[in-house]
Amino acid sequence: MTWRDLVRGLGEVLFPPVCGHCGGLVEGSGYRYLCQECARRIDFVRPPCCETCGHPRYGRGECEHCGGFEPAYGRARSAVLFRGPARSLVAGFGRRGGVHLIRDAETVFRLSPAVLALARGAVLVPVPLHPRRRRERGLNPSELLARCLANAAGGGARTAALLRRVADTPPLAALDRESRERLLKNAFALARGCSFTAGLRYLLVDDVFTTGSTLNSCARALRQAGCPSLDVVTFARG
Ligand SMILES: [Zn+2]
Ligand SMILES: [Zn+2]
């Protein structure tokens, strides 16, 4: 136990953690910052789901969530759906004041067998932020998630910052897939001095899969640089 752990432990006796979603008391939920009720309301993505976008689906033929999308990666998987308490976790660990919530992201990964199977033994590549944005924000949630996932998956899984963001794009949230793809074309490149090892599996990691444009732009950059095998994992599916 380090001093930091001890101080945190004392802090939690004096000020017990409150739920990151509803503000209620956290007890016996298996999570550090989610109460029992909110823990129950996390929607884990269970099979069957689309191999391309990770959304749960039951029909055959083209997926209604990603029809026409041409992935530059193999499979995509998400741990949970982006709503309710899971949405609060993402909003939390995406900013400096809520970064402690990342611990519960690791718990979520540990409860997601399909995600762990993809990550076990793989090289996990976080989606990078532009250096200006990274400075502004003080953290990159994808890096934190990649580290959590490597811990949870084991089997030699490790993280590697193989990508850099060369173009600074405006916020994409309000844009459709076509506009996003236009903006993100050539937004990413292989980080200087990086290369791939034959026989290893690579896995892109991000917080939320929305249209898949950002992840696909990263995937294209990795593929063009010679990445031998590439899948995608996100914490949540929007
Ligand atoms: Zn709660
Ligand atoms: Zn799909």
Side-chain angles (χ1 to χ4, degrees), residues 6 28 37 40 46 50 86 97 112-113 122 146 152 180 184 212:
L6 190 66
E37 178 57 26
R40 261 197 298 277
R46 304 286 181 214
C50 171
S112 307
R180 287 179 189 221
L184 287 166

Side-chain angles (χ1 to χ4, degrees), residues 7-17:
V7 169
R8 189 181 296 130
L10 275 173
E12 283 177 5
V13 171
L14 296 170
F15 309 100

Side-chain angles (χ1 to χ4, degrees), residues 38 81 83-84 91 95 119 136 169 181 195 199 206 227 231 235:
C38 292
L81 294 182
R83 56 190 187 209
R95 55 188 178 80
E136 238 172 55
T169 52
E181 282 184 1
S195 59
D206 204 1
C227 181
D231 295 305
F235 176 73

Side-chain angles (χ1 to χ4, degrees), residues 15-26 32-35 100-101 104:
F15 309 100
V18 292
C19 177
H21 183 62
C22 74
L25 205 64
V26 175
R32 191 85 175 210
Y33 301 103
L34 284 181
C35 72
H100 53 280
L101 296 177
D104 282 345

Side-chain angles (χ1 to χ4, degrees), residues 10 40-41 77 92 103 125 127-128 139 158 165 210 224:
L10 275 173
R40 261 197 298 277
R41 286 176 50 214
R77 279 272 183 282
R103 291 181 66 141
V125 183
V127 170
L139 58 86
R158 61 186 183 279
R165 194 166 188 138
T210 311
Q224 275 162 17

Side-chain angles (χ1 to χ4, degrees), residues 114-167:
V115 167
L116 293 178
L118 274 185
R120 205 162 286 134
V123 179
L124 312 189
V125 183
V127 170
L129 292 174
H130 189 271
R132 185 193 59 80
R133 183 104 182 83
R134 174 78 170 68
R135 264 197 309 278
E136 238 172 55
R137 223 168 148 173
L139 58 86
N140 175 2
S142 306
E143 284 169 22
L144 301 175
L145 285 169
R147 248 179 275 150
C148 281
L149 182 53
N151 285 343
R158 61 186 183 279
T159 64
L162 296 182
L163 281 172
R164 64 195 168 99
R165 194 166 188 138
V166 287

Side-chain angles (χ1 to χ4, degrees), residues 50 52-55 57 63 65-66 237:
C50 171
T52 300
C53 74
H55 203 287
R57 66 182 301 235
C63 168
H65 305 284
C66 69
R237 176 65 174 92

